Amino acid sequence: QVGKKPLLEIWRSTLPVEHGFKNGVAFARNEHILVGQLVLNENDYPSLDEAAFEAYQRILAFQRNQGYKHALRMWNFFPDINVGDADDERYRQFSLGRARTFEQFRHFERALPAASAIGSYRSGLLIHFVAARTPGVQIENPRQVSAFEYPRQYGPRSPSFSRAVVAGPGRDRLFVSGTAAIVGHQSRHEDCLVSQVEETLRNWQSLFSATHRATGQQAGFDRDGTYRVYLRHARDLDPCLAALAHGSVPLEKTTVLRADICRPELLFELDGVTALDPA
Ligand code: 3EB
């Protein structure tokens, strides 16, 4: 954690909010969006693949039933994300189950939410989500192969997420997925934290440009946004913060978490939500 802030993010709505707990999902909603969380006990399922499949079945059904059928953003947390060899790695098993749910929908690659997949300390598969009544605008990164088109070497199914999503109806928010030092589909700068941060910030700038091309709206590291760093090694904190400040990331709006990331060689990942000027 940077400075003395509490480890807390508060999402405020200017519209009336209702909240509740239904079908295992804790949620809050206003007239445009639904936010929620689901926790599954992995021991109730034969595998993480099955747990992820079930979690996504339940979340997507919940969103539809509530009338917010457009999934915009998912955060996925589970322990031991890098444990297991090759296709048995837990991240790849999670990706398999998640993809088996999304694959049931036609043209699902064009409507995937932005996402992050992060190693946690606590047991259980924890998923946070944002869904909306109106569709988002998918943004892909020309510097990176789309995750849903990653080649077979990264697992039995490609990861089901978009690089970023512009949220409707006002197109006033950009949800940026967990973004790391990947160019094309390959990890870069395996043993250099600072170079990974710099490569990641180039990916963000490329996403900001792609957003401008898609919507005509300016996007950037604005101070109304919130940002989250996932850092594999606590010892990298100081050089990480220096590289972020050099890249104009607003540190006072950034939460830093010590966490494992979905490829073992990645040391750093950044996700966030930025404000967009009205269209
Ligand atoms: C990557 O770009 C890095 O599986 O939901 C980033 C964001 C990553 C989301 C996910 C994975 C996910 O492939 C890993």
Side-chain angles (χ1 to χ4, degrees):
Q1 187 59 24
V2 188
K4 291 182 185 145
K5 292 183 305 176
L7 198 56
L8 190 68
E9 260 179 34
I10 299 173
W11 290 49
R12 289 195 173 82
S13 171
T14 53
L15 301 168
V17 174
E18 291 176 337
H19 59 92
F21 185 82
K22 197 174 168 189
N23 299 336
V25 180
F27 67 93
R29 64 184 178 212
N30 68 19
E31 69 179 85
H32 299 304
I33 68 163
L34 170 70
V35 304
Q37 78 161 33
L38 175 69
V39 190
L40 292 189
N41 183 345
E42 271 191 60
N43 298 328
D44 295 341
Y45 301 89
S47 63
L48 181 55
D49 161 30
E50 279 298 325
F53 175 78
E54 181 65 22
Y56 273 80
Q57 291 288 119
R58 283 170 62 175
I59 288 171
L60 297 186
F62 183 83
Q63 293 175 352
R64 276 196 307 277
N65 291 339
Q66 293 277 322
Y68 304 79
K69 68 173 180 176
H70 304 283
L72 301 182
R73 189 42 169 120
M74 321 287 308
W75 292 264
N76 306 284
F77 305 96
F78 52 90
D80 300 325
I81 188 166
N82 300 129
V83 170
D85 289 329
D87 285 351
D88 291 330
E89 187 196 22
R90 281 168 54 79
Y91 171 62
R92 296 181 182 198
Q93 287 297 306
F94 162 80
S95 284
L96 172 58
R98 173 177 59 175
R100 289 195 298 113
T101 289
F102 279 113
E103 279 166 11
Q104 301 170 104
F105 302 96
R106 274 205 311 152
H107 307 305
F108 70 94
E109 294 99 334
R110 291 292 143 211
L112 289 170
S116 303
I118 300 297
S120 61
Y121 296 91
R122 291 181 54 179
S123 65
L125 172 60
L126 165 64
I127 302 178
H128 292 154
F129 62 83
V130 181
R133 293 196 190 278
T134 53
V137 179
Q138 178 181 38
I139 308 291
E140 289 299 310
N141 188 343
R143 299 184 84 234
Q144 298 185 296
V145 173
S146 290
F148 53 83
E149 291 174 344
Y150 278 171
R152 176 66 180 85
Q153 70 197 82
Y154 298 103
R157 287 292 196 288
S158 311
S160 314
F161 71 95
S162 298
R163 294 296 179 187
V165 170
V166 178
R171 288 188 176 174
D172 58 349
R173 287 289 183 283
L174 178 69
F175 289 110
V176 179
S177 287
T179 304
I182 294 175
V183 179
H185 56 75
Q186 279 159 336
S187 305
R188 293 280 173 95
H189 320 294
E190 303 217 348
D191 2 80
C192 183
L193 181 276
V194 168
S195 299
Q196 287 200 12
V197 174
E198 290 168 350
E199 196 71 70
T200 300
L201 296 184
R202 284 192 283 279
N203 280 329
W204 273 73
Q205 293 301 341
S206 174
L207 280 170
F208 290 147
S209 300
T211 301
H212 185 250
R213 286 192 297 276
T215 69
Q217 289 164 280
Q218 290 297 340
F221 284 116
D222 68 289
R223 264 146 238 282
D224 292 329
T226 56
Y227 307 89
R228 271 189 219 167
V229 168
Y230 306 96
L231 191 61
R232 188 179 291 275
H233 302 300
R235 62 169 186 264
D236 287 337
L237 180 62
D238 288 344
C240 175
L241 292 177
L244 289 168
H246 190 253
S248 304
V249 177
L251 294 186
E252 72 280 13
K253 303 302 292 292
T254 301
T255 302
V256 182
L257 300 170
R258 215 301 303 156
D260 293 337
I261 300 155
C262 60
R263 290 187 189 182
E265 68 277 13
L266 294 176
L267 306 174
F268 166 87
E269 189 165 295
L270 179 66
D271 73 17
V273 189
T274 73
L276 294 176
D277 290 331

